[in-house]
Amino acid sequence: MNNKKALITGITGQDGAYLSQLLISKGYKVVGVTRDTSDFRLRNLTYLGLNGKINLHKANLLDLSNIIRIISKEKPDEIYHLAAQSSVGLSFDQPIGTLEFNIIATANLLEAIRIINPAIRFYNSSSSEMYGKVRQEELPVTERSVLHPVSPYSISKASAHWITINYREAYGLYSVCGILFNHESCLRGENFVTKKILNSAIKIKQGSLNELRLGNLDIRRDWGYAPEFVKAMWLMLQQEKADDYIICSGEHHSLFEFVKKVFNNLELDESKYLVSDNKLHRPVELETIYGDNSKAKKGLNWNYDINFDKLISLLVTDEQAFIEWEMKNKGY
Ligand code: NDP
Ligand code: GDR
């Protein structure tokens, strides 16, 4: 058993919950930071049975004094920075808030580490969205591909990415970025497309819904399974040398394929229920993106082996169990 302590920001989100579960299973003491400890926010931790196993702090990551107080008190060995306004779509409606939180929270955490204890290891979740406008011939993207972000969210993530690297290069911190491609689970927020598809398809199957309305169905993404992605985050902080890694499945499929597979899995014909809605298109869209995960597989020994069919089947099964749990635990 190890006696390490990890602090996770964004602990109530999809990745925060799965990462907490992983670290607790490895014997870590886990401390979490959240804006609010209301029951609704704790849904993911409750679902995984982690309530009571984590020491939660209410904090505003824009307030450096708040962060300094928590890090000084808890003395973590590792910090996993997952908190963000993480919706690309919402960032077009809330550009300033997204830029402010996603950039300044990251800078505040790194500055607090530099002031309090530069030996604390720091992980930051960067995003495939940072690559943005990629030409077909430049795919799959690698850690060395050029960044060309096309949304307020991806611009904020590109800044946080370079701030994290800069603290490594300028001050010698062990600060690293996982460049994550879309990864999904039943703990995904309701405003992300896979959760919407899975939840709607199951409700259509149950007879309580009769349509699924989506935006651009032609986009192609490199979708992965969230519980496997958090393993890579942990591995990144266990290396001799700090470095950044792309974390992705390496496969790419269109949103239409995703819908079709989910409906087929439930023995439904998607053409009877799928409605394409132009109002759900984004002002600027990233059409196709997929990555090369060979650096992570080789360098971190990250064993990811979930192909698209297996991913869909896991997501459908997980979502069915989640809906059942939600019905039984209304109000959690
Ligand atoms: P979630 O949105 O599920 O969780 C993020 C957490 O950040 C929330 O639970 C919330 O915690 C906090 N948060 C949300 N909005 C704000 C806001 N406006 N201001 C302050 N805090 C906020 O994200 P994921 O778990 O999916 O992702 C984790 C990280 O990884 C994020 O940084 C995301 O950008 C990044 N990422 C995710 C990918 C994915 O496919 N999931 C891919 C690439 C990068 P609370 O309310 O408790 O404070
Ligand atoms: P994304 O995820 O923007 O890639 O960001 P999202 O699931 O929101 O969108 C994926 C793609 O689906 C298209 N789409 C729709 N999206 C939503 N949300 N709702 C719809 O109805 C719909 N119809 C079509 C979108 O246009 C888009 O192309 C996620 C987040 O987790 C980020 O934090 C992370 O950095 C990136 O993945 C990698």
PDB file of all heavy atoms in Angstrom, residues 123-159:
ATOM      1  N   TYR A 123      -0.473  17.308 -12.951  1.00  0.00           N
ATOM      2  CA  TYR A 123      -1.022  16.829 -14.224  1.00  0.00           C
ATOM      3  C   TYR A 123      -2.112  17.794 -14.690  1.00  0.00           C
ATOM      4  O   TYR A 123      -2.974  18.188 -13.889  1.00  0.00           O
ATOM      5  CB  TYR A 123      -1.632  15.416 -14.043  1.00  0.00           C
ATOM      6  CG  TYR A 123      -2.535  15.061 -15.202  1.00  0.00           C
ATOM      7  CD1 TYR A 123      -2.009  14.501 -16.353  1.00  0.00           C
ATOM      8  CD2 TYR A 123      -3.901  15.356 -15.166  1.00  0.00           C
ATOM      9  CE1 TYR A 123      -2.823  14.230 -17.448  1.00  0.00           C
ATOM     10  CE2 TYR A 123      -4.716  15.096 -16.250  1.00  0.00           C
ATOM     11  CZ  TYR A 123      -4.173  14.537 -17.386  1.00  0.00           C
ATOM     12  OH  TYR A 123      -4.975  14.289 -18.460  1.00  0.00           O
ATOM     13  N   ASN A 124      -2.097  18.155 -15.971  1.00  0.00           N
ATOM     14  CA  ASN A 124      -3.132  19.019 -16.544  1.00  0.00           C
ATOM     15  C   ASN A 124      -3.809  18.310 -17.714  1.00  0.00           C
ATOM     16  O   ASN A 124      -3.137  17.708 -18.550  1.00  0.00           O
ATOM     17  CB  ASN A 124      -2.476  20.315 -17.061  1.00  0.00           C
ATOM     18  CG  ASN A 124      -3.462  21.190 -17.798  1.00  0.00           C
ATOM     19  OD1 ASN A 124      -4.449  21.655 -17.223  1.00  0.00           O
ATOM     20  ND2 ASN A 124      -3.221  21.404 -19.082  1.00  0.00           N
ATOM     21  N   SER A 125      -5.142  18.401 -17.767  1.00  0.00           N
ATOM     22  CA  SER A 125      -5.858  17.803 -18.896  1.00  0.00           C
ATOM     23  C   SER A 125      -5.964  18.780 -20.058  1.00  0.00           C
ATOM     24  O   SER A 125      -6.759  19.719 -20.017  1.00  0.00           O
ATOM     25  CB  SER A 125      -7.269  17.364 -18.465  1.00  0.00           C
ATOM     26  OG  SER A 125      -7.222  16.059 -17.945  1.00  0.00           O
ATOM     27  N   SER A 126      -5.149  18.570 -21.064  1.00  0.00           N
ATOM     28  CA  SER A 126      -5.256  19.336 -22.311  1.00  0.00           C
ATOM     29  C   SER A 126      -6.207  18.589 -23.245  1.00  0.00           C
ATOM     30  O   SER A 126      -6.640  17.480 -22.929  1.00  0.00           O
ATOM     31  CB  SER A 126      -3.882  19.482 -22.963  1.00  0.00           C
ATOM     32  OG  SER A 126      -3.019  20.219 -22.117  1.00  0.00           O
ATOM     33  N   SER A 127      -6.486  19.189 -24.404  1.00  0.00           N
ATOM     34  CA  SER A 127      -7.535  18.620 -25.259  1.00  0.00           C
ATOM     35  C   SER A 127      -7.121  18.523 -26.724  1.00  0.00           C
ATOM     36  O   SER A 127      -6.428  19.408 -27.252  1.00  0.00           O
ATOM     37  CB  SER A 127      -8.779  19.506 -25.157  1.00  0.00           C
ATOM     38  OG  SER A 127      -9.680  19.205 -26.183  1.00  0.00           O
ATOM     39  N   SER A 128      -7.616  17.490 -27.389  1.00  0.00           N
ATOM     40  CA  SER A 128      -7.420  17.344 -28.838  1.00  0.00           C
ATOM     41  C   SER A 128      -7.997  18.540 -29.593  1.00  0.00           C
ATOM     42  O   SER A 128      -7.588  18.829 -30.718  1.00  0.00           O
ATOM     43  CB  SER A 128      -8.112  16.073 -29.321  1.00  0.00           C
ATOM     44  OG  SER A 128      -9.469  16.083 -28.932  1.00  0.00           O
ATOM     45  N   GLU A 129      -8.967  19.234 -28.956  1.00  0.00           N
ATOM     46  CA  GLU A 129      -9.573  20.408 -29.601  1.00  0.00           C
ATOM     47  C   GLU A 129      -8.530  21.482 -29.909  1.00  0.00           C
ATOM     48  O   GLU A 129      -8.749  22.337 -30.763  1.00  0.00           O
ATOM     49  CB  GLU A 129     -10.656  21.000 -28.694  1.00  0.00           C
ATOM     50  CG  GLU A 129     -11.936  20.194 -28.648  1.00  0.00           C
ATOM     51  CD  GLU A 129     -12.770  20.337 -29.912  1.00  0.00           C
ATOM     52  OE1 GLU A 129     -13.002  21.463 -30.355  1.00  0.00           O
ATOM     53  OE2 GLU A 129     -13.182  19.305 -30.470  1.00  0.00           O
ATOM     54  N   MET A 130      -7.393  21.466 -29.194  1.00  0.00           N
ATOM     55  CA  MET A 130      -6.346  22.477 -29.416  1.00  0.00           C
ATOM     56  C   MET A 130      -5.795  22.405 -30.834  1.00  0.00           C
ATOM     57  O   MET A 130      -5.328  23.388 -31.370  1.00  0.00           O
ATOM     58  CB  MET A 130      -5.166  22.254 -28.460  1.00  0.00           C
ATOM     59  CG  MET A 130      -5.527  22.284 -26.995  1.00  0.00           C
ATOM     60  SD  MET A 130      -4.070  22.179 -25.936  1.00  0.00           S
ATOM     61  CE  MET A 130      -3.223  20.721 -26.527  1.00  0.00           C
ATOM     62  N   TYR A 131      -5.831  21.227 -31.456  1.00  0.00           N
ATOM     63  CA  TYR A 131      -5.286  21.081 -32.817  1.00  0.00           C
ATOM     64  C   TYR A 131      -6.198  21.747 -33.835  1.00  0.00           C
ATOM     65  O   TYR A 131      -5.743  22.226 -34.871  1.00  0.00           O
ATOM     66  CB  TYR A 131      -5.080  19.598 -33.166  1.00  0.00           C
ATOM     67  CG  TYR A 131      -4.048  18.947 -32.278  1.00  0.00           C
ATOM     68  CD1 TYR A 131      -4.412  18.006 -31.314  1.00  0.00           C
ATOM     69  CD2 TYR A 131      -2.709  19.314 -32.368  1.00  0.00           C
ATOM     70  CE1 TYR A 131      -3.472  17.437 -30.478  1.00  0.00           C
ATOM     71  CE2 TYR A 131      -1.763  18.740 -31.529  1.00  0.00           C
ATOM     72  CZ  TYR A 131      -2.148  17.807 -30.591  1.00  0.00           C
ATOM     73  OH  TYR A 131      -1.226  17.249 -29.763  1.00  0.00           O
ATOM     74  N   GLY A 132      -7.491  21.758 -33.534  1.00  0.00           N
ATOM     75  CA  GLY A 132      -8.463  22.507 -34.330  1.00  0.00           C
ATOM     76  C   GLY A 132      -8.428  22.216 -35.804  1.00  0.00           C
ATOM     77  O   GLY A 132      -8.710  21.104 -36.236  1.00  0.00           O
ATOM     78  N   LYS A 133      -8.086  23.242 -36.575  1.00  0.00           N
ATOM     79  CA  LYS A 133      -8.103  23.123 -38.040  1.00  0.00           C
ATOM     80  C   LYS A 133      -6.917  22.289 -38.497  1.00  0.00           C
ATOM     81  O   LYS A 133      -5.822  22.798 -38.697  1.00  0.00           O
ATOM     82  CB  LYS A 133      -7.994  24.523 -38.642  1.00  0.00           C
ATOM     83  CG  LYS A 133      -9.175  24.906 -39.460  1.00  0.00           C
ATOM     84  CD  LYS A 133      -9.001  26.263 -40.068  1.00  0.00           C
ATOM     85  CE  LYS A 133     -10.365  26.897 -40.199  1.00  0.00           C
ATOM     86  NZ  LYS A 133     -10.338  28.318 -40.375  1.00  0.00           N
ATOM     87  N   VAL A 134      -7.126  20.999 -38.661  1.00  0.00           N
ATOM     88  CA  VAL A 134      -6.032  20.124 -39.101  1.00  0.00           C
ATOM     89  C   VAL A 134      -6.321  19.710 -40.540  1.00  0.00           C
ATOM     90  O   VAL A 134      -7.445  19.325 -40.868  1.00  0.00           O
ATOM     91  CB  VAL A 134      -5.974  18.835 -38.235  1.00  0.00           C
ATOM     92  CG1 VAL A 134      -4.733  18.024 -38.574  1.00  0.00           C
ATOM     93  CG2 VAL A 134      -5.998  19.172 -36.757  1.00  0.00           C
ATOM     94  N   ARG A 135      -5.300  19.771 -41.397  1.00  0.00           N
ATOM     95  CA  ARG A 135      -5.496  19.310 -42.778  1.00  0.00           C
ATOM     96  C   ARG A 135      -5.488  17.788 -42.807  1.00  0.00           C
ATOM     97  O   ARG A 135      -4.803  17.139 -42.015  1.00  0.00           O
ATOM     98  CB  ARG A 135      -4.394  19.868 -43.684  1.00  0.00           C
ATOM     99  CG  ARG A 135      -4.532  21.369 -43.926  1.00  0.00           C
ATOM    100  CD  ARG A 135      -3.828  21.783 -45.223  1.00  0.00           C
ATOM    101  NE  ARG A 135      -2.441  21.324 -45.238  1.00  0.00           N
ATOM    102  CZ  ARG A 135      -1.413  22.030 -44.750  1.00  0.00           C
ATOM    103  NH1 ARG A 135      -1.628  23.217 -44.234  1.00  0.00           N
ATOM    104  NH2 ARG A 135      -0.184  21.541 -44.784  1.00  0.00           N
ATOM    105  N   GLN A 136      -6.261  17.227 -43.727  1.00  0.00           N
ATOM    106  CA  GLN A 136      -6.410  15.774 -43.854  1.00  0.00           C
ATOM    107  C   GLN A 136      -5.053  15.056 -43.854  1.00  0.00           C
ATOM    108  O   GLN A 136      -4.861  14.049 -43.182  1.00  0.00           O
ATOM    109  CB  GLN A 136      -7.178  15.492 -45.158  1.00  0.00           C
ATOM    110  CG  GLN A 136      -7.830  14.129 -45.238  1.00  0.00           C
ATOM    111  CD  GLN A 136      -8.905  13.909 -44.159  1.00  0.00           C
ATOM    112  OE1 GLN A 136      -9.560  14.840 -43.729  1.00  0.00           O
ATOM    113  NE2 GLN A 136      -9.036  12.671 -43.716  1.00  0.00           N
ATOM    114  N   GLU A 137      -4.099  15.649 -44.584  1.00  0.00           N
ATOM    115  CA  GLU A 137      -2.788  14.978 -44.726  1.00  0.00           C
ATOM    116  C   GLU A 137      -1.975  15.058 -43.427  1.00  0.00           C
ATOM    117  O   GLU A 137      -0.932  14.415 -43.316  1.00  0.00           O
ATOM    118  CB  GLU A 137      -2.001  15.528 -45.929  1.00  0.00           C
ATOM    119  CG  GLU A 137      -1.674  17.008 -45.888  1.00  0.00           C
ATOM    120  CD  GLU A 137      -2.774  17.881 -46.506  1.00  0.00           C
ATOM    121  OE1 GLU A 137      -3.950  17.436 -46.573  1.00  0.00           O
ATOM    122  OE2 GLU A 137      -2.458  19.019 -46.889  1.00  0.00           O
ATOM    123  N   GLU A 138      -2.437  15.856 -42.452  1.00  0.00           N
ATOM    124  CA  GLU A 138      -1.696  15.971 -41.183  1.00  0.00           C
ATOM    125  C   GLU A 138      -2.222  14.998 -40.126  1.00  0.00           C
ATOM    126  O   GLU A 138      -1.753  14.984 -38.989  1.00  0.00           O
ATOM    127  CB  GLU A 138      -1.782  17.402 -40.653  1.00  0.00           C
ATOM    128  CG  GLU A 138      -0.998  18.386 -41.497  1.00  0.00           C
ATOM    129  CD  GLU A 138      -1.332  19.846 -41.168  1.00  0.00           C
ATOM    130  OE1 GLU A 138      -2.395  20.108 -40.577  1.00  0.00           O
ATOM    131  OE2 GLU A 138      -0.520  20.700 -41.527  1.00  0.00           O
ATOM    132  N   LEU A 139      -3.222  14.197 -40.497  1.00  0.00           N
ATOM    133  CA  LEU A 139      -3.808  13.242 -39.553  1.00  0.00           C
ATOM    134  C   LEU A 139      -3.104  11.894 -39.642  1.00  0.00           C
ATOM    135  O   LEU A 139      -2.660  11.514 -40.732  1.00  0.00           O
ATOM    136  CB  LEU A 139      -5.301  13.067 -39.855  1.00  0.00           C
ATOM    137  CG  LEU A 139      -6.159  14.283 -39.502  1.00  0.00           C
ATOM    138  CD1 LEU A 139      -7.526  14.187 -40.161  1.00  0.00           C
ATOM    139  CD2 LEU A 139      -6.326  14.410 -37.992  1.00  0.00           C
ATOM    140  N   PRO A 140      -2.963  11.119 -38.566  1.00  0.00           N
ATOM    141  CA  PRO A 140      -3.390  11.447 -37.213  1.00  0.00           C
ATOM    142  C   PRO A 140      -2.447  12.479 -36.568  1.00  0.00           C
ATOM    143  O   PRO A 140      -1.271  12.525 -36.906  1.00  0.00           O
ATOM    144  CB  PRO A 140      -3.276  10.096 -36.490  1.00  0.00           C
ATOM    145  CG  PRO A 140      -2.179   9.379 -37.213  1.00  0.00           C
ATOM    146  CD  PRO A 140      -2.287   9.798 -38.640  1.00  0.00           C
ATOM    147  N   VAL A 141      -2.994  13.268 -35.625  1.00  0.00           N
ATOM    148  CA  VAL A 141      -2.128  14.244 -34.962  1.00  0.00           C
ATOM    149  C   VAL A 141      -1.218  13.535 -33.958  1.00  0.00           C
ATOM    150  O   VAL A 141      -1.572  12.498 -33.393  1.00  0.00           O
ATOM    151  CB  VAL A 141      -2.927  15.376 -34.268  1.00  0.00           C
ATOM    152  CG1 VAL A 141      -3.644  16.233 -35.282  1.00  0.00           C
ATOM    153  CG2 VAL A 141      -3.887  14.850 -33.225  1.00  0.00           C
ATOM    154  N   THR A 142      -0.045  14.115 -33.766  1.00  0.00           N
ATOM    155  CA  THR A 142       0.909  13.600 -32.770  1.00  0.00           C
ATOM    156  C   THR A 142       1.195  14.729 -31.779  1.00  0.00           C
ATOM    157  O   THR A 142       0.712  15.855 -31.957  1.00  0.00           O
ATOM    158  CB  THR A 142       2.243  13.184 -33.419  1.00  0.00           C
ATOM    159  OG1 THR A 142       2.933  14.387 -33.818  1.00  0.00           O
ATOM    160  CG2 THR A 142       2.041  12.280 -34.622  1.00  0.00           C
ATOM    161  N   GLU A 143       2.027  14.443 -30.795  1.00  0.00           N
ATOM    162  CA  GLU A 143       2.390  15.444 -29.790  1.00  0.00           C
ATOM    163  C   GLU A 143       3.095  16.639 -30.443  1.00  0.00           C
ATOM    164  O   GLU A 143       3.162  17.712 -29.853  1.00  0.00           O
ATOM    165  CB  GLU A 143       3.307  14.827 -28.713  1.00  0.00           C
ATOM    166  CG  GLU A 143       2.629  13.859 -27.763  1.00  0.00           C
ATOM    167  CD  GLU A 143       2.422  12.462 -28.355  1.00  0.00           C
ATOM    168  OE1 GLU A 143       2.790  12.222 -29.519  1.00  0.00           O
ATOM    169  OE2 GLU A 143       1.867  11.603 -27.631  1.00  0.00           O
ATOM    170  N   ARG A 144       3.620  16.443 -31.651  1.00  0.00           N
ATOM    171  CA  ARG A 144       4.374  17.536 -32.298  1.00  0.00           C
ATOM    172  C   ARG A 144       3.533  18.320 -33.316  1.00  0.00           C
ATOM    173  O   ARG A 144       4.021  19.262 -33.941  1.00  0.00           O
ATOM    174  CB  ARG A 144       5.628  16.973 -32.967  1.00  0.00           C
ATOM    175  CG  ARG A 144       6.742  16.648 -31.966  1.00  0.00           C
ATOM    176  CD  ARG A 144       8.011  16.216 -32.671  1.00  0.00           C
ATOM    177  NE  ARG A 144       7.776  15.107 -33.585  1.00  0.00           N
ATOM    178  CZ  ARG A 144       7.618  13.833 -33.190  1.00  0.00           C
ATOM    179  NH1 ARG A 144       7.676  13.524 -31.915  1.00  0.00           N
ATOM    180  NH2 ARG A 144       7.409  12.879 -34.079  1.00  0.00           N
ATOM    181  N   SER A 145       2.276  17.953 -33.489  1.00  0.00           N
ATOM    182  CA  SER A 145       1.439  18.658 -34.477  1.00  0.00           C
ATOM    183  C   SER A 145       1.197  20.112 -34.044  1.00  0.00           C
ATOM    184  O   SER A 145       1.226  20.433 -32.857  1.00  0.00           O
ATOM    185  CB  SER A 145       0.092  17.948 -34.641  1.00  0.00           C
ATOM    186  OG  SER A 145       0.286  16.655 -35.148  1.00  0.00           O
ATOM    187  N   VAL A 146       0.937  20.942 -35.052  1.00  0.00           N
ATOM    188  CA  VAL A 146       0.726  22.378 -34.798  1.00  0.00           C
ATOM    189  C   VAL A 146      -0.665  22.611 -34.189  1.00  0.00           C
ATOM    190  O   VAL A 146      -1.629  21.943 -34.567  1.00  0.00           O
ATOM    191  CB  VAL A 146       0.826  23.144 -36.144  1.00  0.00           C
ATOM    192  CG1 VAL A 146       0.457  24.616 -35.987  1.00  0.00           C
ATOM    193  CG2 VAL A 146       2.233  23.008 -36.710  1.00  0.00           C
ATOM    194  N   LEU A 147      -0.756  23.542 -33.244  1.00  0.00           N
ATOM    195  CA  LEU A 147      -2.055  23.883 -32.643  1.00  0.00           C
ATOM    196  C   LEU A 147      -2.720  25.007 -33.449  1.00  0.00           C
ATOM    197  O   LEU A 147      -2.078  26.000 -33.771  1.00  0.00           O
ATOM    198  CB  LEU A 147      -1.894  24.348 -31.190  1.00  0.00           C
ATOM    199  CG  LEU A 147      -1.130  23.440 -30.218  1.00  0.00           C
ATOM    200  CD1 LEU A 147      -1.215  24.010 -28.792  1.00  0.00           C
ATOM    201  CD2 LEU A 147      -1.673  22.019 -30.222  1.00  0.00           C
ATOM    202  N   HIS A 148      -3.995  24.822 -33.755  1.00  0.00           N
ATOM    203  CA  HIS A 148      -4.765  25.875 -34.435  1.00  0.00           C
ATOM    204  C   HIS A 148      -6.192  25.844 -33.865  1.00  0.00           C
ATOM    205  O   HIS A 148      -7.131  25.411 -34.525  1.00  0.00           O
ATOM    206  CB  HIS A 148      -4.782  25.636 -35.952  1.00  0.00           C
ATOM    207  CG  HIS A 148      -5.464  26.742 -36.707  1.00  0.00           C
ATOM    208  ND1 HIS A 148      -5.149  27.064 -38.005  1.00  0.00           N
ATOM    209  CD2 HIS A 148      -6.439  27.625 -36.355  1.00  0.00           C
ATOM    210  CE1 HIS A 148      -5.909  28.070 -38.411  1.00  0.00           C
ATOM    211  NE2 HIS A 148      -6.709  28.418 -37.419  1.00  0.00           N
ATOM    212  N   PRO A 149      -6.344  26.292 -32.592  1.00  0.00           N
ATOM    213  CA  PRO A 149      -7.646  26.188 -31.925  1.00  0.00           C
ATOM    214  C   PRO A 149      -8.727  27.037 -32.579  1.00  0.00           C
ATOM    215  O   PRO A 149      -8.427  28.132 -33.057  1.00  0.00           O
ATOM    216  CB  PRO A 149      -7.344  26.674 -30.505  1.00  0.00           C
ATOM    217  CG  PRO A 149      -6.075  27.446 -30.589  1.00  0.00           C
ATOM    218  CD  PRO A 149      -5.306  26.901 -31.745  1.00  0.00           C
ATOM    219  N   VAL A 150      -9.977  26.516 -32.603  1.00  0.00           N
ATOM    220  CA  VAL A 150     -11.051  27.232 -33.300  1.00  0.00           C
ATOM    221  C   VAL A 150     -12.274  27.517 -32.421  1.00  0.00           C
ATOM    222  O   VAL A 150     -13.353  27.756 -32.936  1.00  0.00           O
ATOM    223  CB  VAL A 150     -11.492  26.474 -34.582  1.00  0.00           C
ATOM    224  CG1 VAL A 150     -10.382  26.423 -35.612  1.00  0.00           C
ATOM    225  CG2 VAL A 150     -11.987  25.072 -34.254  1.00  0.00           C
ATOM    226  N   SER A 151     -12.115  27.481 -31.097  1.00  0.00           N
ATOM    227  CA  SER A 151     -13.230  27.846 -30.207  1.00  0.00           C
ATOM    228  C   SER A 151     -12.637  28.495 -28.963  1.00  0.00           C
ATOM    229  O   SER A 151     -11.475  28.255 -28.629  1.00  0.00           O
ATOM    230  CB  SER A 151     -14.017  26.588 -29.796  1.00  0.00           C
ATOM    231  OG  SER A 151     -13.180  25.743 -29.014  1.00  0.00           O
ATOM    232  N   PRO A 152     -13.448  29.285 -28.231  1.00  0.00           N
ATOM    233  CA  PRO A 152     -12.924  29.858 -26.982  1.00  0.00           C
ATOM    234  C   PRO A 152     -12.413  28.761 -26.043  1.00  0.00           C
ATOM    235  O   PRO A 152     -11.382  28.924 -25.393  1.00  0.00           O
ATOM    236  CB  PRO A 152     -14.149  30.580 -26.399  1.00  0.00           C
ATOM    237  CG  PRO A 152     -14.971  30.938 -27.604  1.00  0.00           C
ATOM    238  CD  PRO A 152     -14.800  29.797 -28.561  1.00  0.00           C
ATOM    239  N   TYR A 153     -13.118  27.617 -26.009  1.00  0.00           N
ATOM    240  CA  TYR A 153     -12.668  26.506 -25.153  1.00  0.00           C
ATOM    241  C   TYR A 153     -11.275  26.050 -25.562  1.00  0.00           C
ATOM    242  O   TYR A 153     -10.375  25.916 -24.724  1.00  0.00           O
ATOM    243  CB  TYR A 153     -13.647  25.333 -25.259  1.00  0.00           C
ATOM    244  CG  TYR A 153     -13.100  24.053 -24.654  1.00  0.00           C
ATOM    245  CD1 TYR A 153     -13.116  23.841 -23.277  1.00  0.00           C
ATOM    246  CD2 TYR A 153     -12.540  23.056 -25.468  1.00  0.00           C
ATOM    247  CE1 TYR A 153     -12.591  22.671 -22.724  1.00  0.00           C
ATOM    248  CE2 TYR A 153     -12.022  21.884 -24.918  1.00  0.00           C
ATOM    249  CZ  TYR A 153     -12.049  21.699 -23.555  1.00  0.00           C
ATOM    250  OH  TYR A 153     -11.527  20.549 -23.004  1.00  0.00           O
ATOM    251  N   SER A 154     -11.081  25.797 -26.855  1.00  0.00           N
ATOM    252  CA  SER A 154      -9.790  25.229 -27.271  1.00  0.00           C
ATOM    253  C   SER A 154      -8.667  26.251 -27.130  1.00  0.00           C
ATOM    254  O   SER A 154      -7.520  25.885 -26.864  1.00  0.00           O
ATOM    255  CB  SER A 154      -9.880  24.655 -28.678  1.00  0.00           C
ATOM    256  OG  SER A 154     -10.378  25.595 -29.581  1.00  0.00           O
ATOM    257  N   ILE A 155      -8.993  27.541 -27.277  1.00  0.00           N
ATOM    258  CA  ILE A 155      -7.974  28.582 -27.058  1.00  0.00           C
ATOM    259  C   ILE A 155      -7.566  28.591 -25.584  1.00  0.00           C
ATOM    260  O   ILE A 155      -6.388  28.667 -25.240  1.00  0.00           O
ATOM    261  CB  ILE A 155      -8.502  29.960 -27.514  1.00  0.00           C
ATOM    262  CG1 ILE A 155      -8.687  29.964 -29.040  1.00  0.00           C
ATOM    263  CG2 ILE A 155      -7.560  31.077 -27.079  1.00  0.00           C
ATOM    264  CD1 ILE A 155      -9.515  31.114 -29.571  1.00  0.00           C
ATOM    265  N   SER A 156      -8.562  28.439 -24.697  1.00  0.00           N
ATOM    266  CA  SER A 156      -8.239  28.410 -23.250  1.00  0.00           C
ATOM    267  C   SER A 156      -7.389  27.191 -22.923  1.00  0.00           C
ATOM    268  O   SER A 156      -6.455  27.258 -22.132  1.00  0.00           O
ATOM    269  CB  SER A 156      -9.525  28.414 -22.416  1.00  0.00           C
ATOM    270  OG  SER A 156     -10.174  27.140 -22.453  1.00  0.00           O
ATOM    271  N   LYS A 157      -7.703  26.058 -23.562  1.00  0.00           N
ATOM    272  CA  LYS A 157      -6.949  24.825 -23.289  1.00  0.00           C
ATOM    273  C   LYS A 157      -5.526  24.924 -23.834  1.00  0.00           C
ATOM    274  O   LYS A 157      -4.586  24.403 -23.232  1.00  0.00           O
ATOM    275  CB  LYS A 157      -7.678  23.626 -23.908  1.00  0.00           C
ATOM    276  CG  LYS A 157      -8.849  23.162 -23.062  1.00  0.00           C
ATOM    277  CD  LYS A 157      -8.321  22.468 -21.810  1.00  0.00           C
ATOM    278  CE  LYS A 157      -9.383  22.162 -20.801  1.00  0.00           C
ATOM    279  NZ  LYS A 157      -8.889  21.519 -19.595  1.00  0.00           N
ATOM    280  N   ALA A 158      -5.373  25.597 -24.998  1.00  0.00           N
ATOM    281  CA  ALA A 158      -4.029  25.757 -25.562  1.00  0.00           C
ATOM    282  C   ALA A 158      -3.181  26.626 -24.627  1.00  0.00           C
ATOM    283  O   ALA A 158      -1.996  26.347 -24.396  1.00  0.00           O
ATOM    284  CB  ALA A 158      -4.127  26.371 -26.950  1.00  0.00           C
ATOM    285  N   SER A 159      -3.797  27.660 -24.050  1.00  0.00           N
ATOM    286  CA  SER A 159      -3.047  28.516 -23.107  1.00  0.00           C
ATOM    287  C   SER A 159      -2.648  27.741 -21.871  1.00  0.00           C
ATOM    288  O   SER A 159      -1.495  27.787 -21.438  1.00  0.00           O
ATOM    289  CB  SER A 159      -3.901  29.716 -22.681  1.00  0.00           C
ATOM    290  OG  SER A 159      -4.188  30.507 -23.769  1.00  0.00           O
TER     291      SER A 159
END
